[in-house]
Amino acid sequence: MRETAGYLPDIGEEFEKKVLLFRDKEEVLEVEIPLLTEEQMDKVIQKVKKASAETLKSFSVMELVKIIDQVIDRLLDRNTSCRQKAEKLLPIVTGYSEELIRLGLTSYLKNFRKHELQRFLIEDLGNLSLLDEFQPRVKGGFSKAIGPDLITHIWSGNVPGLPLWSFISGLLVKAGNVGKVPSAEPLFAGWFARLLVEIEPRLSDCFAVVWWKGGNEERERSLFKQTDVVVGYGGNESLQSIQSRIPITTRFLPFGHKISFGVVSKSSLDSHKAWHSARQAALDVVRYDQQGCYSPHLFYVQNGGNISPREFARYMAHELDNFEKRFPRRSLSMEESASLASWRQREEMDIYSNPYKEVLGNAANDWTVVYEENDISFSPSCLNRMIRVIAFERIEDIIPSIAPNRSFLQTVGIATSPKELFHWAELLGKIGLTRITALGNMTSPEAGWHHDGRFNLLDLIHMVDIESSAEEESERFAPYVD
Amino acid sequence: MKQQQEIIESTLQFIQNQLSSEDDFNEQALQIFSYQYQHNLPYRTFCMQKGKTPRMVKTWRDIPAVPINAFKEVTLSCADPNEAAAVFMTSGTTKGIKGKHYHPILHIYNRSMTLNFKQRFMKDTEKIRMGVLFPTAKELPNSSLAHYLALGMKEFGTEDSHYLINDNGVDMDRLLEELSHSEETGEPYALVGASFSFVHMLEKLEGMGKTFSLPKGSKILDTGGFKNQSKELDLDEFYQLLSSILGVDRAECINMYGITELSTQFYDNGNTNVPSVKSGPHWIRTRVINPLTGEEVSKGERGVLVHCDLANFNSVTTILTEDVGIEVDCGFLLLGRVEGTQAKGCSIAVEEFLKATKEFPK
């Protein structure tokens, strides 16, 4: 099978092609992606910038919302060819099971329908027209939000569709967009771009979805120089190297790799409710095999409920085993397999010196739950369905071991009573957590969420104020002035 | 400790006996297994956890393989570790904890080494003038490689053999002298040592524009990887350079594969083609497994190597490595070490986390 990735405005030239190979079990997929020379890249940038200024900025925000809504509609509809293609090819590219991709896509795409997009806008701007024309302000004067001419997105990772957050945000602020897709999932962003153009051909020059080998310094330097905002995803090391190439006049919004975890209160641990919580927690582990920044690395479970943390760990093991049948884990590379096996063996070996510990798993190593009683230290999982369940007494006991990792913290999945929810949120927010959600929802953030505590749109735009003095003074010069 | 003496004797006998069959190997392996099960307490716990007692284990393939990481966590020794004649340690890791391999006596290790070295590297030659590109055993008392090379030089080197490493790395003056001497006199020369030292040496020789044409019978033995050293070479380039700069045929460039946790080494028959086929003597056997299930993969498929080394009479015979390989006729292809894996998505990988927590002290 062969599929073309990426999207480019027409600059009247042919592009060299690079083929990326993907293999999943029997299926082999060749993904062909255009490889631009630096001159071609410059032409594309100019074209996108021009179209952004002349075309994109002539649309009203609500017009853009409706166009995006139509694209999402098509992607949500399982009868459309684009959706069917996504369901067929993404499992091959990412290795995730078909069922997981199908459910994941739907729950994810729902975030970008018209009403949710309006939520994005109102969340950040408070006024849907602020990007269209000057809006009166309470204190006097007027303001308008202006999006940049060009945003460059450096996307990363294999969680399908992830580029949509920043791509759509870029469109909503009427910026030209150049996005670099990751080799791990080069398809989705290009499909989305092509659908946009199919629905509104006037947008055809407003964005480009490209690929180049990461770390190409000269190319990146030249691109960043022509860019107003760079949105980068990836590990700190690669973000650092991107940053080193960005001129001081270009704004950089880095989204580094993150750690998320869960906290389960004793108040949720009675014999009826605990099963449900364990099931939801297991789902958070299963979805994308913990590869997302919002995926849990560990669960802290409180002592003192009807169901003990040890029992909770066993419940989770049971659920993970069940889910393995419906959502089998993606096939792992030899490196991943070996690292996973060695992680589990090390845990098993640790039992010699720590008799309270328990390591639960099946013979095929499809998942592992490690139960820990005396060691509350915060350490990352090796992912791919390896989860640690740690018993704790009071939230204040675990906070000190989590706090030092502030720069990596993101989501916490919580099961607790209302009063405790706000108390814990207070404490967890203070040490750097930015998103608190229910178990089972960790991998699907709400529309308009504050990604890593930041804003989707506000960070991209700048404001132009007409101060009241200018407005008042202008009256003196009106042709109709007495 | 009569039992230890018995095991040592039967092991020596087995090593000496060139004509041993599969059944003999099995028998010896099971005998050592039950000895280790009895005397090596952490190993017994490990086996019991896997449900593998001497009664359950019927062939050497059933013997539970201990991951090399275990050598860092627990003491794997049948004899009192405090009385060991030698403790070989692995180089540091991310956590800085070293794996320890205890040898109550070195006799078996040495016998295993010399028999194998003679057969696979020296071949028909009894003694050869040797240059060693590695520190001495005195400088690195816990390095199995230092011991190995010292032993090689003592047993098979002529009296003029030398170490070619000083405080600044490769002792170039001495090396040039040795190479010229060999070229002029026609006396075959053997360069042995760590692969990365060879890389440094090649860089320097290239820089000086020096090439040699060592006489027939000269040979090279390199071992260990050279990744993350000054210059990254691929295997093919490495042997091409070695051969063109020193004038030694690639068939005479032997690579040794050994790990601290074993007492026996693997060799290839030269590196005309890479990756070359590695194999060991009759007292070591290798399986290639799927690390997740522990089951053997089919011949020709990639997997992780498990070695059953009967010379490891005191620790554990069967070791699960972190090396990826493929089983082929007459041995296996070594494809390299499993490195830490990068996260595929946007969740942090353990490696990155460890690195970051090291960089920013809490």
Side-chain angles (χ1 to χ4, degrees):
Chain A
M1 266 187 299
R2 209 175 174 95
E3 172 66 16
T4 306
Y7 171 83
L8 286 165
D10 186 6
I11 56 165
E13 287 180 32
E14 290 289 309
F15 301 105
E16 196 190 319
K17 297 277 188 341
K18 157 100 185 167
V19 176
L20 305 170
L21 268 186
F22 294 92
R23 213 171 257 122
D24 189 45
K25 292 162 200 119
E26 300 307 299
E27 298 272 23
V28 178
L29 174 68
E30 296 177 350
V31 173
E32 194 181 85
I33 189 150
L35 212 51
L36 282 66
T37 64
E38 271 174 50
E39 293 73 44
Q40 287 174 327
M41 191 70 198
D42 285 342
K43 283 186 194 166
V44 167
I45 293 169
Q46 291 320 313
K47 192 117 188 179
V48 169
K49 276 183 143 177
K50 187 160 178 277
S52 147
E54 290 171 4
T55 314
L56 200 51
K57 292 204 165 52
S58 73
F59 282 85
S60 76
V61 164
M62 277 318 288
E63 283 169 329
L64 290 170
V65 163
K66 282 177 197 150
I67 295 166
I68 297 169
D69 186 52
Q70 286 180 59
V71 173
I72 297 297
D73 248 2
R74 285 208 197 169
L75 285 168
L76 279 170
D77 181 353
R78 297 199 61 207
N79 297 314
T80 59
S81 59
C82 55
R83 170 69 186 221
Q84 283 164 358
K85 188 154 75 177
E87 287 187 15
K88 186 165 167 216
L89 300 188
L90 288 177
I92 305 175
V93 168
T94 61
Y96 299 123
S97 76
E98 289 169 24
E99 180 83 342
L100 203 131
I101 292 274
R102 187 173 69 73
L103 296 176
L105 274 184
T106 299
S107 96
Y108 180 67
L109 288 165
K110 282 191 331 200
N111 281 320
F112 303 104
R113 289 170 304 179
K114 184 175 157 200
H115 295 101
E116 281 74 15
L117 292 179
Q118 284 176 298
R119 202 182 305 281
F120 264 86
L121 287 159
I122 214 76
E123 187 73 43
D124 272 16
L125 304 175
N127 177 341
L128 288 180
S129 307
L130 197 62
L131 278 154
D132 294 336
E133 50 192 346
F134 280 98
Q135 299 292 307
R137 301 188 56 183
V138 179
K139 72 167 180 65
F142 288 78
S143 287
K144 184 183 176 191
I146 311 262
D149 287 337
L150 189 68
I151 300 176
T152 297
H153 311 259
I154 309 286
W155 294 309
S156 84
N158 71 341
V159 177
L162 219 56
L164 287 198
W165 285 115
S166 75
F167 195 173
I168 287 179
S169 301
L171 287 171
L172 288 179
V173 301
K174 306 183 193 178
N177 291 279
V178 171
K180 174 186 180 284
V181 291
S183 322
E185 197 285 272
L187 288 173
F188 202 86
W191 290 335
F192 180 73
R194 275 180 259 162
L195 279 172
L196 280 169
V197 176
E198 226 176 282
I199 282 165
E200 179 47 85
R202 283 184 293 163
L203 293 181
S204 66
D205 292 342
C206 297
F207 36 75
V209 176
V210 295
W211 183 83
W212 67 84
K213 199 160 168 33
N216 185 336
E217 283 193 33
E218 228 166 279
R219 164 159 311 211
E220 289 177 6
R221 250 182 240 288
S222 139
L223 171 59
F224 297 156
K225 213 164 73 188
Q226 306 175 64
T227 303
D228 305 294
V229 179
V230 177
V231 183
Y233 296 85
N236 278 347
E237 208 169 304
S238 59
L239 290 174
Q240 185 85 59
S241 94
I242 291 174
Q243 187 177 38
S244 71
R245 286 168 218 146
I246 296 179
I248 188 75
T249 44
T250 298
R251 193 185 305 169
F252 182 42
L253 305 175
F255 292 95
H257 291 163
K258 295 291 173 202
I259 293 187
S260 298
F261 61 94
V263 189
V264 179
S265 156
K266 63 181 175 196
S267 61
S268 75
L269 291 175
D270 72 27
S271 21
H272 290 303
K273 293 170 193 154
W275 266 117
H276 179 73
S277 298
R279 188 185 158 81
Q280 296 302 102
L283 265 176
D284 284 332
V285 172
V286 164
R287 290 189 180 128
Y288 304 123
D289 302 335
Q290 296 166 285
Q291 302 285 334
C293 47
Y294 33 51
S295 299
H297 280 250
L298 60 159
F299 284 93
Y300 290 104
V301 181
Q302 195 172 28
N303 277 317
N306 267 342
I307 301 300
S308 71
R310 187 186 290 271
E311 282 166 307
F312 189 84
R314 290 178 185 160
Y315 284 7
M316 270 191 81
H318 184 84
E319 293 299 330
L320 286 170
D321 203 42
N322 286 343
F323 283 131
E324 172 58 26
K325 286 169 194 86
R326 185 164 172 214
F327 308 114
R329 185 180 57 202
R330 76 193 167 87
S331 31
L332 304 180
S333 72
M334 190 54 63
E335 285 70 23
E336 288 171 310
S337 306
S339 113
L340 205 135
S342 112
W343 198 82
R344 173 158 156 192
Q345 278 152 349
R346 207 163 351 163
E347 295 294 339
E348 285 175 345
M349 223 107 53
D350 200 33
I351 301 180
Y352 304 159
S353 53
N354 184 355
Y356 299 109
K357 186 168 178 153
E358 202 167 315
V359 179
L360 305 155
N362 68 357
N365 244 324
D366 294 315
W367 52 269
T368 304
V369 178
V370 176
Y371 171 70
E372 201 99 54
E373 213 165 83
N374 294 325
D375 183 2
I376 54 163
S377 61
F378 187 82
S379 63
S381 149
C382 70
L383 312 181
N384 298 316
R385 308 196 183 181
M386 289 278 172
I387 193 78
R388 203 182 286 273
V389 171
I390 301 175
F392 75 99
E393 292 296 331
R394 299 171 327 128
I395 188 92
E396 289 78 6
D397 298 340
I398 55 174
I399 292 280
S401 67
I402 307 170
N405 307 291
R406 171 181 278 273
S407 63
F408 292 113
L409 301 176
Q410 192 204 62
T411 296
V412 56
I414 276 193
T416 184
S417 62
K419 199 169 167 190
E420 210 168 38
L421 171 65
F422 283 91
H423 173 53
W424 287 8
E426 195 73 48
L427 296 171
L428 292 164
K430 229 182 260 175
I431 58 167
L433 273 307
T434 56
R435 173 171 169 251
I436 291 159
T437 189
L439 295 183
N441 280 16
M442 291 184 74
T443 65
S444 16
E446 274 173 11
W449 72 309
H450 292 115
H451 185 181
D452 292 346
R454 298 300 313 175
F455 301 92
N456 293 294
L457 307 178
L458 273 185
D459 279 346
L460 299 175
I461 55 167
H462 66 265
M463 301 298 291
V464 182
D465 297 336
I466 299 176
E467 294 201 341
S468 48
S469 64
E471 187 203 343
E472 281 157 23
E473 194 67 0
S474 73
E475 293 294 348
R476 283 181 51 216
F477 311 122
Y480 45 79
V481 76
D482 296 328
Chain B
M1 288 298 270
K2 187 159 174 278
Q3 262 199 319
Q4 176 179 313
Q5 204 47 45
E6 274 170 29
I7 284 291
I8 289 172
E9 270 159 30
S10 73
T11 302
L12 273 177
Q13 232 169 47
F14 188 85
I15 288 178
Q16 305 284 17
N17 180 9
Q18 289 275 4
L19 298 169
S20 65
S21 65
E22 166 88 16
D23 283 350
D24 298 337
F25 185 90
N26 225 8
E27 198 183 312
Q28 181 68 16
L30 295 180
Q31 197 188 84
I32 303 181
F33 173 62
S34 86
Y35 168 75
Q36 290 174 345
Y37 185 88
Q38 207 179 334
H39 296 277
N40 185 339
L41 213 62
Y43 184 52
R44 185 199 300 198
T45 321
F46 179 79
C47 294
M48 277 163 56
Q49 202 180 41
K50 307 250 162 208
K52 298 271 182 83
T53 62
R55 283 181 57 191
M56 311 287 294
V57 172
K58 301 282 182 235
T59 83
W60 66 273
R61 290 170 192 271
D62 300 334
I63 298 175
V66 174
I68 54 169
N69 263 322
F71 284 80
K72 293 179 196 143
E73 318 275 335
V74 286
T75 303
L76 291 164
S77 177
C78 292
D80 182 353
N82 296 317
E83 288 172 18
V87 185
F88 293 145
M89 298 189 194
T90 58
S91 43
T93 60
T94 29
K95 278 187 191 160
I97 307 167
K98 295 178 171 200
K100 294 189 179 124
H101 193 187
Y102 298 92
H103 296 270
I105 54 160
L106 276 169
H107 189 51
I108 289 189
Y109 182 98
N110 292 354
R111 185 61 64 87
S112 163
M113 185 276 172
T114 46
L115 277 175
N116 202 11
F117 190 85
K118 170 77 175 76
Q119 196 188 357
R120 302 298 297 273
F121 183 67
M122 296 303 291
K123 298 169 196 160
D124 296 333
T125 312
E126 293 301 326
K127 294 249 178 186
I128 191 166
R129 186 167 170 140
M130 246 182 230
V132 181
L133 291 168
F134 201 74
T136 62
K138 214 174 182 175
E139 288 166 297
L140 298 176
N142 294 118
S143 158
S144 57
L145 181 57
H147 174 76
Y148 166 98
L149 291 168
L151 186 63
M153 186 162 99
K154 180 171 149 262
E155 296 291 321
F156 304 103
T158 62
E159 291 198 341
D160 307 310
S161 299
H162 278 287
Y163 278 89
L164 297 172
I165 296 286
N166 59 21
D167 295 341
N168 306 319
V170 180
D171 183 348
M172 287 309 285
D173 294 342
R174 188 64 196 256
L175 175 81
L176 290 173
E177 237 172 74
E178 290 287 302
L179 295 175
S180 310
H181 174 266
S182 167
E183 211 176 34
E184 282 157 21
T185 60
E187 184 189 350
Y189 192 64
L191 261 184
V192 301
S195 312
F196 63 82
S197 304
F198 278 97
V199 176
H200 288 302
M201 176 199 80
L202 288 173
E203 253 173 37
K204 288 194 176 158
L205 289 176
E206 252 189 319
M208 296 172 180
K210 293 252 183 202
T211 58
F212 294 86
S213 173
L214 294 179
K216 198 164 179 313
S218 297
K219 44 184 84 203
I220 287 169
L221 181 129
D222 79 290
T223 184
F226 44 82
K227 275 213 154 159
N228 304 327
Q229 293 300 323
S230 57
K231 186 175 164 189
E232 279 208 17
L233 290 174
D234 73 26
L235 275 183
D236 201 47
E237 271 179 277
F238 175 70
Y239 288 110
Q240 200 48 48
L241 266 180
L242 261 186
S243 155
S244 62
I245 290 188
L246 298 176
V248 176
D249 197 87
R250 281 177 65 161
E252 302 301 330
C253 297
I254 311 287
N255 174 265
M256 184 275 273
Y257 158 60
I259 53 179
T260 305
E261 294 83 355
L262 293 177
S263 305
T264 303
Q265 299 78 33
F266 297 90
Y267 299 90
D268 52 44
N269 296 322
N271 280 278
T272 313
N273 296 311
V274 287
S276 54
V277 179
K278 298 273 188 292
S279 56
H282 67 267
W283 59 89
I284 191 165
R285 296 199 176 201
T286 299
R287 298 189 296 136
V288 183
I289 64 150
N290 171 344
L292 290 180
T293 59
E295 279 163 26
E296 276 174 54
V297 300
S298 1
K299 198 170 164 180
E301 257 179 56
R302 267 160 42 102
V304 170
L305 303 179
V306 172
H307 307 297
C308 176
D309 179 7
L310 300 187
N312 255 9
F313 74 96
N314 178 62
S315 52
V316 285
T317 53
T318 310
I319 310 267
L320 170 61
T321 69
E322 291 176 349
D323 299 318
V324 179
I326 295 179
E327 188 195 340
V328 293
D329 291 331
C330 312
F332 57 87
L333 300 178
L334 183 65
L335 302 179
R337 213 179 163 103
V338 185
E339 303 285 344
T341 52
Q342 289 261 318
K344 291 262 180 188
C346 44
S347 182
I348 201 163
V350 180
E351 305 276 316
E352 189 185 351
F353 181 84
L354 287 176
K355 200 162 165 243
T357 46
K358 244 194 256 165
E359 274 169 18
F360 309 107
K362 290 171 190 176

